[in-house]
Amino acid sequence: MPVQLNHTIVHATDQERSARFLTELLGLPEPVRFGPFLVVEAANGVSLDYVTSPAPITAQHYAFLVTEEEFDQIFDRISERGLDYWADPFHSQHKQINRNDGGRGVYWDDPDGHRLEIITRPYGSGA
């Protein structure tokens, strides 16, 4: 079997708030409890397993490949919530989306400062 990413643990100050933030914006199924985790399943079988952490949160980056139609739906939800968004991970291109590799991409932060991203084409795939 080839190596595949199966899951990652996402530390949060409030796992329920953070897991629901992600599922609502991305239009994913409700998170499912598994032990101390709230599990968010992506369509490719990779899960983000949210856990409430008493330690300070170190922000991470999570990128999701979506279709053009999904991008529009997610971007509408970001806009409807009045969330800040950027065209880049360094937050230097505020209220913009990128058009890298002939697709579209946008970044925004979750409640704990994790950088979330949606893209319609994998980076490096060419325009």
Side-chain angles (χ1 to χ4, degrees):
M1 170 193 264
V3 176
Q4 298 178 13
L5 180 63
N6 177 264
H7 70 277
T8 189
I9 295 173
V10 181
H11 293 267
T13 54
D14 180 335
Q15 70 183 162
E16 186 163 331
R17 176 188 65 178
S18 293
R20 291 194 187 288
F21 178 85
L22 184 68
T23 58
E24 289 172 3
L25 282 174
L26 296 185
L28 295 172
E30 289 285 315
V32 175
R33 169 87 36 211
F34 179 74
F37 304 102
L38 273 178
V39 178
V40 175
E41 287 282 342
N44 61 345
V46 175
S47 68
L48 289 90
D49 300 356
Y50 283 84
V51 66
T52 297
S53 177
I57 305 299
T58 300
Q60 299 294 317
H61 171 76
Y62 302 97
F64 302 91
L65 183 62
V66 300
T67 66
E68 290 287 341
E69 181 180 336
E70 290 167 328
F71 185 97
D72 291 336
Q73 294 167 356
I74 296 164
F75 188 72
D76 284 349
R77 290 190 282 267
I78 291 168
S79 298
E80 288 166 3
R81 288 184 178 212
L83 299 175
D84 281 328
Y85 59 89
W86 297 265
D88 66 304
F90 306 108
H91 288 184
S92 65
Q93 298 172 27
H94 190 239
K95 297 290 184 185
Q96 297 178 51
I97 63 171
N98 70 56
R99 300 210 176 264
N100 298 332
D101 292 294
R104 294 183 292 166
V106 70
Y107 298 77
W108 73 99
D109 291 348
D110 87 344
D112 289 302
H114 293 297
R115 303 265 165 100
L116 305 176
E117 175 187 16
I118 52 172
I119 54 175
T120 59
R121 289 188 59 128
Y123 291 134
S125 63

